[in-house]
Amino acid sequence: MLTLDDIKDARRRLGRTERVVKRAPKADDYLRYVKESVPLGEVEGYLRLMQNAGRLRYQRNNTGAIRDKTNRPVTFGEAGSPDFYVFLPGGKLLQLEVKRPVGGKLSPNQEAWRDAMMNLGHRYEVVTSGIEAQKFVESALKGFNDGR
């Protein structure tokens, strides 16, 4: 196994004398490599449990695509619309957009959708994990139970 001294010696022999810095990885470095499908699965799993318990209904949006006659993909849903629509008792609608924990950001279409929905008084949230989705949904359910 190579040691730090072995690397320094090899660099000296090659004429490279720059300083070698070995940094211990941070605990959350792995989050940079998490794909959006991971938190999407967590959120859908949570919503499915809540739906099976009769506390809400949800619909997954923008899933799949088909090809037209010219072999171009045709996707479902409007550009910028959220990943999940969550229907709560009392006619409440929540909209959840799921992003990667690190580096995930809204597209311009998604920002426009979010702004339009919030201007209409709908609740919209960007979440990066099932736990964040749970907190958002539970707070909305609590508000419903409190009469808000």
Side-chain angles (χ1 to χ4, degrees), residues 36-57:
E36 191 171 299
S37 60
V38 173
L40 258 170
E42 291 176 4
V43 171
E44 187 158 23
Y46 165 72
L47 292 174
R48 189 177 303 116
L49 286 172
M50 293 295 283
Q51 181 169 284
N52 290 343
R55 300 206 48 210
L56 56 79
R57 295 288 297 179

Side-chain angles (χ1 to χ4, degrees), residues 56-130:
L56 56 79
R57 295 288 297 179
Y58 79 93
Q59 180 176 337
R60 175 79 168 86
N61 193 25
N62 296 331
T63 58
I66 60 172
R67 299 247 176 218
D68 67 7
K69 291 178 184 178
T70 62
N71 205 29
R72 290 183 307 195
V74 178
T75 58
F76 304 100
E78 188 175 334
S81 58
D83 293 317
F84 294 98
Y85 293 108
V86 182
F87 304 93
L88 300 181
K92 285 189 174 184
L93 170 66
L94 308 178
Q95 298 179 48
L96 293 174
E97 178 63 37
V98 180
K99 291 295 178 192
R100 294 176 36 203
V102 175
K105 64 179 189 172
L106 295 177
S107 71
N109 283 339
Q110 290 170 327
E111 289 176 351
W113 182 278
R114 177 201 58 205
D115 296 344
M117 292 299 108
M118 292 181 82
N119 286 337
L120 291 172
H122 291 280
R123 295 186 66 181
Y124 182 102
E125 188 75 14
V126 178
V127 297
T128 60
S129 70

